[in-house]
Amino acid sequence: MSASLWTQGLGKSFRLHLQGGIRIPVLEDVGLAVAAGECVALAGPSGAGKSTLMRCLYGNYGAEEGRIHLRHLGQEVELTAADARATRDIRRHTLGYVSQFLRVIPRIGALDIVAEPLIARGAGRDAARARAEELLLRLNLPPRLHHLPPATFSGGEQQRVNLARGFAPGYPILLLDEPTASLDAVNREVVIGLIAEAKAAGTAIIGIFHDVEVRGRVADRLFEVQPIQDAA
C-alpha cells in the first residue's frame, strides 16, 4: 500500500533568542508514513513533540532537517520545498488540519465558516452551505447557532464547528489534534463515526488522541514520538 504522506529524517528545534539563543531540539530523524484509508495515532509522553510534528506536517512550522512528501492531485510533492502559493493549493485540495481550537473569524457565522473551504475548492454556495448544515446538525450544534459568529460559543461548541469545517471537504489527508478533547460522550461517538467514514472513503489520517478509548477505536496503529533525551 503506497503512502499518502511520509517523512524522511524530519527534525525541528526552537531557538530561545531572549535566553541567549539556547537551542531546544524537539524532533529528530522522524520517519513517519500513513496510507490512504489508514489512521495513525501519535503516541508518546507530554512534551515529546507530537503537536510540533503535526504543525510541521501542515507547514505551520518549518522543518530544519529532512523532508515531508505527500500525494497532491496525483503528483508527489515535497511540502518542505513548497512555496507559499503551492502550500495554499495543497491545503485547499489535499491537506486538512483540525486543531484543538477554532480560529474565530470575526462576524462570520458558523455555517459560513464550515462552508468556506468547500467554496474555495469550487463548490456552489448552496451546496457548500447544505453540507455545512448537515455536519453541524450531526454534531448536535443547534440551528439557532448556525448563523451566529462562534466567538461567544463554549469550547465544545467551537470544537464542533472546527470539526465540521475539517471534515466537510473530504480531504485526502487529514490531521486531527485532540479532536474529542472538549466533547461529551454523545459527540465523541459522532466524531468516531466521522473518522470511520473518512477512512472508508480513503482518507489518510494522522491524529493525537489522549482519550485512550477513542484512540483504540479509530487508530490502525501507533507511531511513537520519542522525547530527545538532552532536550532542556
Side-chain angles (χ1 to χ4, degrees):
M1 186 182 296
S2 62
S4 295
L5 181 149
W6 63 103
T7 71
Q8 297 172 308
L10 187 66
K12 175 65 179 174
S13 65
F14 295 98
R15 194 166 294 279
L16 307 181
H17 295 287
L18 298 179
Q19 298 187 30
I22 296 172
R23 177 179 173 272
I24 306 296
V26 180
L27 301 173
E28 185 176 71
D29 196 27
V30 176
L32 164 68
V34 58
E38 181 183 34
C39 178
V40 175
L42 303 183
S46 178
K50 297 185 294 296
S51 290
T52 296
L53 176 55
M54 293 283 272
R55 294 185 181 106
C56 287
L57 296 177
Y58 194 60
N60 283 349
Y61 287 167
E64 294 175 324
E65 300 172 350
R67 297 177 180 180
I68 301 168
H69 299 268
L70 51 79
R71 301 200 181 280
H72 169 59
L73 301 178
Q75 302 287 327
E76 179 183 322
V77 176
E78 185 183 339
L79 181 61
T80 35
D83 60 20
R85 182 176 179 180
T87 299
R88 285 195 300 271
D89 193 61
I90 289 167
R91 291 176 177 179
R92 180 179 299 118
H93 295 286
T94 299
L95 182 61
Y97 180 33
V98 179
S99 63
Q100 292 186 49
F101 307 104
L102 174 67
R103 259 183 92 181
V104 177
I105 304 171
R107 297 179 296 279
I108 304 297
L111 191 71
D112 288 324
I113 288 174
V114 176
E116 186 275 331
L118 289 163
I119 293 170
R121 298 175 86 190
R125 179 177 172 82
D126 289 345
R129 286 168 64 90
R131 172 63 172 158
E133 182 177 32
E134 172 195 342
L135 281 168
L136 290 174
L137 289 173
R138 185 170 175 185
L139 285 158
N140 299 298
L141 195 77
R144 60 184 172 79
L145 299 181
H146 289 189
H147 298 283
L148 299 179
T152 59
F153 289 7
S154 71
E157 289 166 344
Q158 288 192 9
Q159 187 169 32
R160 281 177 271 164
V161 174
N162 210 18
L163 285 159
R165 179 182 169 91
F167 278 97
Y171 294 110
I173 305 168
L174 189 57
L175 309 176
L176 301 176
D177 190 353
E178 287 289 358
T180 61
S182 300
L183 302 184
D184 57 26
V186 171
N187 284 303
R188 281 199 300 272
E189 288 297 324
V190 174
V191 173
I192 289 169
L194 288 170
I195 292 172
E197 290 170 14
K199 288 169 60 179
T203 298
I205 298 174
I206 299 173
I208 299 172
F209 307 95
H210 286 161
D211 186 320
V212 176
E213 180 188 352
V214 172
R215 186 176 71 184
R217 291 174 62 185
V218 302
D220 296 290
R221 59 186 173 90
L222 303 182
F223 179 85
E224 291 286 342
V225 180
Q226 298 293 344
I228 298 175
Q229 295 303 315
D230 62 351

